[in-house]
Amino acid sequence: MREGTPWVIVLNGVGSVGKSATARAMQSVAARPFLHLSMDTFIDMPPEGMLGHPDGMVFEPGEADGRPRIAVRTGPVMARVMLSMRHAVAALAGHGNDLLVDDVMFDPAEAAEYRALLAHVNLSFVGLFAPLDVLEMRERERGDRAIGLARGQVDLVHRGISYDLTIDAMRHDPAKRAAIICETFELATSAPGAAVCKERPC
């Protein structure tokens, strides 16, 4: 840890694994004023017509093991947006902001780019994991996600990525995940005495 420099914590995992809930819990307990930056914010930036357009983002329905599986294909417009997200993270950190980045990375090159852009700050990667049946149940319960996204992502998002911490999102609720992150990276909390997990990975 480098004193006096911002912290950037990248939360990576399948949609519906609980990244946003973990980030919000972190904001409520960490003493540092973390900003929460979500991939979904950037996906919503282009015109609505870019969703389903080959230049934007296409959701290709299919099937795996007799269940719906959706593959995500990214065109040049959305690829530029996602590249811009990583540079936006670097710009915010460059001005001294602490960040919780909620991302879904399909290519280890994206993690490598974060490392290159954020070499000047404290950067940590946290992988959130859960069994596919749990992810699909959460997908159905949410009601705002296409059924099959989790099955399409589960074999891709963690491939080739090296983590500083991994967390079992089924075993721990968001508050506990936040406590684990604060304990692991020695981040002061605004709630002394919060329960933490000493195991790594958790």
Side-chain angles (χ1 to χ4, degrees):
M1 174 180 174
R2 286 170 286 185
E3 295 292 339
T5 58
W7 267 98
V8 177
I9 298 175
V10 179
L11 304 171
N12 186 50
V14 174
S16 302
V17 77
K19 299 182 300 296
S20 294
T22 301
R24 288 191 294 269
M26 273 287 294
Q27 287 180 307
S28 70
V29 299
R32 301 175 75 105
F34 278 99
L35 308 183
H36 176 205
L37 189 148
S38 173
M39 177 188 187
D40 287 346
T41 300
F42 286 78
I43 289 175
D44 289 341
M45 285 182 176
E48 187 175 345
M50 282 291 100
L51 290 180
H53 191 284
D55 286 345
M57 184 174 284
V58 176
F59 301 92
E60 297 181 354
E63 191 175 278
D65 300 324
R67 295 187 180 183
R69 179 185 184 277
I70 295 178
V72 180
R73 310 295 182 201
T74 301
V77 172
M78 193 61 75
R80 286 198 302 270
V81 173
M82 293 296 100
L83 174 62
S84 299
M85 172 182 167
R86 294 186 284 277
H87 281 265
V89 169
L92 286 162
H95 285 278
N97 295 291
D98 299 305
L99 296 164
L100 297 163
V101 181
D102 169 354
D103 206 344
V104 181
M105 291 185 280
F106 292 143
D107 189 330
E110 297 171 29
E113 188 169 30
Y114 273 126
R115 293 187 192 280
L117 290 169
L118 297 165
H120 59 294
V121 305
N122 296 302
L123 173 64
S124 296
F125 285 85
V126 177
L128 270 62
F129 292 78
L132 179 57
D133 59 340
V134 172
L135 294 168
E136 290 183 323
M137 179 186 69
R138 291 179 179 176
E139 198 172 57
R140 291 191 296 270
E141 290 174 347
R142 285 179 62 141
D144 62 350
R145 295 292 169 94
I147 303 302
L149 277 173
R151 186 168 288 267
Q153 295 174 0
V154 71
D155 292 329
L156 299 175
V157 295
H158 300 296
R159 186 178 56 183
I161 297 179
S162 176
Y163 291 111
D164 301 289
L165 172 69
T166 60
I167 299 177
D168 183 340
M170 183 176 73
R171 178 182 170 193
H172 302 295
D173 65 17
K176 187 62 176 293
R177 292 176 221 152
I180 291 168
I181 294 168
C182 286
E183 171 72 7
T184 300
F185 302 124
E186 299 180 351
L187 295 167
T189 66
S190 57
V196 296
C197 174
K198 298 289 185 180
E199 301 170 10
R200 186 175 175 179
C202 295

